Amino acid sequence: MKGFLRKDGRKGIRNVVVITYLVECAHHVASRIAQHFQDEDVHLIGFSGCAPNDYAELMMRQLCTHPNVGAVLLVSLGCENFQRDRLKQDILDSGRPVSRVVIQDEGGTQSSIVKGIASVGEMLQLIKEVPTTDIDWKDLMIGTVCGGSDGYSGITANPSVGATFDWLVDHEATCIFEEPGELIGCERLLQERAVTPELGIRLFNCIVKANNYYKQMGHDSFSAGNATGGLTTIEEKSLGSYCKSGSRPIQGLTYPGLIPNTPGLWMMDVVPDGAVRWGFPNINDNAEIMEMIACGCHLVLYTTGRGSVAGSAISPVIKVCSNPETYHRMKDDMDINAGAIVTEGLSFTQIRDQLLQCIEMTATGQSTKSELLGHREYSLGYKSFQKICL
């Protein structure tokens, strides 16, 4: 596999320019700049809030210095609380080209768009000089999420991803699973797989925290679509979600924006600490995907039964469809038909091998289905974590 070598020593599988707005008031200008480059590897992300939030600033720093990112344009209104100068310096310190447009200083919308287009054009030329490098399995970090789960998810797609994670971990890759709100009832299973008793307690408490958080919100992760798709209880959904983690020992518990420091299997805690105050732990699946990317994931395996079409900015998404009917109905959006386990008698190992081939081809530069369709969704909101406040 071939990738891009960053000045900070990390290796990426994509070489994108990121345009990021630092408050909702700058969203339109950033979007217009990005639209000018819709046929280029220019991705738009952003933070809508104006009030300060350590989580959001950490997330943005990690996203803008991700190994798949070659250069960054920051778009600021000018009076928001976001620390744009600090973010710019962090990007510079990582060795990446960075430019900034402050709309109030530039004289408004149109002049800011013109300056931004010029800056991105220059950066697209600069990143052509990024050296390439060999990438091995041990260089990759891969995440997994599920969305639109159905009755097939726990018997086709999710166990296939689990088998893929086992293979990847055995070959020294780093793998991350999460969704504590969809692992309620599995806390003992997670605890038993922890590499230390202390970690086991942390994993157990992570699920307890998620359960309490959802109870206070009066909402859990079980949706009407899950029921229509054949799932009956949160416990059934949790066991299906748990299958994505495979069977290898769990090395650690990480948080959004914190990069695992050793290879192996990691769990990510996405549920805020403390009292319920910032709203839902994740308002949509793309919030979880962006958190995995902020942890360093080069790509994300996304299992779906009902048929999610979302992709993501920065890192490719590989769609693993659990339901054979959904796969054939939405074939243009799906990369892997795990439902063939049911219709064709394929084994988890055979679907695993298809997934590994797809990962290898994606890491080498081949576009996933969501990339071909232009999906570059993102989502970033407010959260509060005692453990990662800077």
Side-chain angles (χ1 to χ4, degrees):
M1 294 179 280
K2 282 285 187 181
F4 300 92
L5 180 62
R6 305 299 172 194
K7 290 183 179 179
D8 57 12
R10 300 166 77 190
K11 298 178 181 181
I13 65 170
R14 294 292 184 270
N15 194 28
V16 305
V17 173
V18 163
I19 300 173
T20 179
Y21 58 89
L22 304 181
V23 67
E24 185 61 26
C25 306
H27 191 166
H28 175 74
V29 169
S31 296
R32 289 294 299 274
I33 297 168
Q35 287 168 12
H36 187 80
F37 299 97
Q38 58 185 341
D39 295 326
E40 305 277 357
D41 283 330
V42 176
H43 294 197
L44 177 70
I45 65 173
F47 176 58
S48 294
C50 191
N53 184 240
D54 290 333
Y55 157 83
E57 296 210 9
L58 171 64
M59 285 282 294
M60 195 64 77
R61 181 171 72 249
Q62 298 296 65
L63 291 170
C64 289
T65 58
H66 189 279
N68 288 350
V69 173
V72 182
L73 173 67
L74 305 177
V75 184
S76 161
L77 175 63
C79 58
E80 69 276 359
N81 281 286
F82 206 105
Q83 298 297 312
R84 59 180 180 270
D85 292 334
R86 184 169 64 188
L87 178 58
K88 181 180 179 182
Q89 189 59 52
D90 288 337
I91 298 168
L92 283 171
D93 290 344
S94 76
R96 289 165 174 78
V98 57
S99 185
R100 185 179 64 192
V101 171
V102 181
I103 298 169
Q104 292 168 348
D105 294 346
E106 295 299 328
T109 297
Q110 192 57 42
S111 54
S112 298
I113 293 171
V114 170
K115 180 178 179 179
I117 289 173
S119 295
V120 172
E122 292 173 3
M123 288 189 283
L124 283 169
Q125 294 304 311
L126 286 173
I127 64 173
K128 290 180 180 179
E129 305 302 319
V130 174
T132 58
T133 184
D134 291 329
I135 290 182
D136 199 354
W137 293 105
K138 65 182 180 182
D139 298 314
L140 291 179
M141 186 180 299
I142 298 173
T144 186
V145 300
C146 52
S149 299
D150 70 354
Y152 284 95
S153 295
I155 59 175
T156 60
N158 291 353
S160 297
V161 168
T164 305
F165 265 26
D166 284 350
W167 190 96
L168 290 166
V169 167
D170 291 346
H171 288 77
E172 302 182 75
T174 304
C175 296
I176 304 177
F177 69 101
E178 48 88 48
E179 297 167 308
E182 296 184 13
L183 291 168
I184 293 169
C186 299
E187 49 268 34
R188 294 288 183 192
L189 298 174
L190 295 167
Q191 184 177 17
E192 291 169 359
R193 291 170 60 193
V195 294
T196 67
E198 293 77 14
L199 175 60
I201 293 172
R202 291 178 61 205
L203 293 170
F204 184 94
N205 290 338
C206 172
I207 307 304
V208 171
K209 180 181 69 168
N211 191 29
N212 292 336
Y213 201 98
Y214 279 112
K215 282 181 178 178
Q216 291 182 60
M217 287 168 30
H219 171 82
D220 61 25
S221 67
F222 195 92
S223 70
N226 295 150
T228 304
L231 289 171
T232 58
T233 63
I234 184 62
E235 290 81 6
E236 183 183 14
K237 184 177 181 182
S238 292
L239 287 169
S241 179
Y242 174 79
C243 291
K244 298 198 308 297
S245 68
S247 62
R248 298 300 183 259
I250 300 171
Q251 295 294 320
L253 181 66
T254 189
Y255 298 86
L258 288 188
I259 301 172
N261 54 16
T262 60
L265 180 66
W266 289 70
M267 180 175 172
M268 182 171 68
D269 184 359
V270 303
V271 179
D273 293 328
V276 177
R277 52 179 174 169
W278 292 117
F280 290 95
N282 282 105
I283 58 175
N284 53 50
D285 293 328
N286 275 94
E288 296 170 336
I289 291 174
M290 296 312 291
E291 288 176 336
M292 288 201 151
I293 295 171
C295 286
C297 286
H298 293 89
L299 55 85
V300 176
L301 308 180
Y302 189 145
T303 67
T304 183
R306 301 303 306 280
S308 173
V309 300
S312 78
I314 300 177
S315 295
V317 168
I318 294 174
K319 292 288 179 50
V320 188
C321 189
S322 66
N323 188 316
E325 293 182 1
T326 302
Y327 175 82
H328 290 293
R329 187 172 63 250
M330 303 179 66
K331 195 170 183 178
D332 289 345
D333 288 275
M334 303 297 151
D335 297 282
I336 300 292
N337 179 20
I341 291 172
V342 174
T343 57
E344 301 173 30
L346 269 61
S347 67
F348 297 139
T349 301
Q350 288 172 303
I351 300 297
R352 179 204 71 184
D353 291 344
Q354 291 182 23
L355 259 169
L356 290 170
Q357 182 182 31
C358 187
I359 291 169
E360 185 171 12
M361 295 172 69
T362 301
T364 306
Q366 179 171 300
S367 296
T368 64
K369 293 291 185 69
S370 63
E371 286 182 297
L372 289 171
L373 291 166
H375 283 285
R376 295 174 179 174
E377 288 85 354
Y378 62 90
S379 182
L380 176 59
Y382 283 103
K383 282 188 183 180
S384 177
F385 287 94
Q386 297 171 0
K387 298 177 180 64
I388 63 171
C389 289
L390 303 179

